Each structure stands twice: as C-alpha cells, then as structure tokens.
Amino acid sequence: MIFVTVGTNPTMAFDRLVRAMDELAGELDEPVVLQRGCASYLPQHAESFAFTTGEHIEELMLNARVIVSHAAAGAIIMALQQNKPLVIVPRRFHLGEHVDDHQLQLAQALAGQRRAVTVYEPSPASLRVAIEEAPKLTAAVPQGATLAAYLRRRLDSWRVQPARRRPLWLLKV
C-alpha cells in the first residue's frame, strides 16, 4: 500500500499532489490511501479521507510500502523513524500552498542526504518514478540525534526572517 499525506492545514489545499496521486492510483495494481486534507479535488481512484487522528496516520505509515508526503517535519520524522521509503512533494509559497517555502528547503536537504526522493512538479509519471526510486535509498534516521539537530538548526535559522514571513507555528517555539 502507498500512503499519501498532505497534513492538517485546514485552509491551504494541496490539490496538485492529491490530483496527481489519484491519477496514478488509477494506473497502479497497488492500493493507495490518501489523506487529502482540505483539497477541493475528491479522489476517484484512491481511498481517501480528509483528516484523522495521529494514531491512525502512524498506523497507515507503519503498514505502507512507500510514503508520499508534503514536506512537513512531523510526517517526515515519523516516516524515517519507521524506516519507510519516502517521497516528498514540497508545498510552494508562490502557488498559495503554504505561508513560505520552508518545505522546499527541507525537501532539498533530505534529498541531498539521500533520505528521500523529492518531486517538485507532481504528475503521475514523476510520482511513479519517485515511488520506484524511494526504496533504493537509505530510509533510516541518522545515528543519534543528527536529524533532530539538523531540523532544530534549520528552524532556528528561519527565525531571523521578518515576522510577516514566519510560519505561525514558529512564533511559540
């Protein structure tokens, strides 16, 4: 099973990923379960739901062969902790999918470390290739707290941005 998650943002849809993964699901012989969030596109080929509990997401990730996710730290860490092959599709600021491009920065860093395959323009073809490539990567959390330390440094560096560009979740860290 391929599990797809776009996160819990109640106002910013990620229709690019939801639509492309649903189209790919219609071509695959493997089930696709898609957490679509507030997407306006309703999948026709993948099993989907809008939101659920963290425990349910963890169970779906545990049972997945490959995880396709937006580039949110929580989803990425959970997938890596479970040693799951990971495909990351970052939400983009200029497309109105997020408040800034921090997901792009995180996706680039993980792709550079060969911890995930990053897809910048999701289409059925690009996602198919990424899903085939992801199991070939080392999908384990680095020894010790290396990944956590890296994420903390990145978060700290983003705090120097002007307040209007800072994601709301960073204001209370």
Side-chain angles (χ1 to χ4, degrees):
M1 179 260 294
I2 298 168
F3 176 60
V4 183
T5 180
V6 301
T8 59
N9 188 313
T11 60
M12 293 184 161
F14 200 10
D15 284 333
R16 284 189 313 136
L17 177 55
V18 172
R19 181 182 300 275
M21 257 327 291
D22 185 51
E23 290 173 9
L24 178 58
E27 302 171 8
L28 297 175
D29 291 329
E30 180 175 15
V32 174
V33 177
L34 203 155
Q35 183 267 319
R36 66 181 185 276
C38 65
S40 60
Y41 176 83
L42 294 178
Q44 304 300 307
H45 306 287
E47 175 186 334
S48 75
F49 57 91
F51 300 100
T52 189
T53 65
E55 292 82 14
H56 187 220
I57 294 292
E58 189 171 2
E59 178 184 331
L60 289 165
M61 285 188 169
L62 187 61
N63 292 318
R65 180 180 70 82
V66 175
I67 296 168
V68 178
S69 178
H70 67 143
I76 289 168
I77 289 170
M78 189 181 298
L80 293 174
Q81 285 175 332
Q82 293 183 10
N83 295 319
K84 294 296 179 170
L86 181 60
V87 174
I88 299 173
V89 183
R91 292 171 174 263
R92 300 303 306 273
F93 171 72
H94 78 278
L95 297 173
E97 296 168 343
H98 219 304
V99 298
D100 62 18
D101 272 332
H102 75 275
Q103 287 200 356
L104 180 63
Q105 295 167 335
L106 183 54
Q108 289 169 335
L110 289 168
Q113 294 176 4
R114 298 193 42 80
R115 300 250 173 244
V117 176
T118 298
V119 174
Y120 298 100
E121 297 298 330
S123 68
S126 65
L127 290 166
R128 178 187 294 272
V129 169
I131 288 167
E132 290 171 3
E133 288 299 312
K136 298 174 186 175
L137 300 179
T138 303
V141 175
Q143 291 298 315
T146 306
L147 179 60
Y150 170 80
L151 292 173
R152 173 57 54 203
R153 284 192 309 274
R154 294 300 300 173
L155 291 171
D156 287 343
S157 73
W158 293 331
R159 285 192 190 131
V160 300
Q161 296 176 355
R164 70 182 187 290
R165 297 283 320 273
R166 249 188 255 159
L168 294 178
W169 56 269
L170 282 180
L171 295 176
K172 295 183 181 180
V173 173

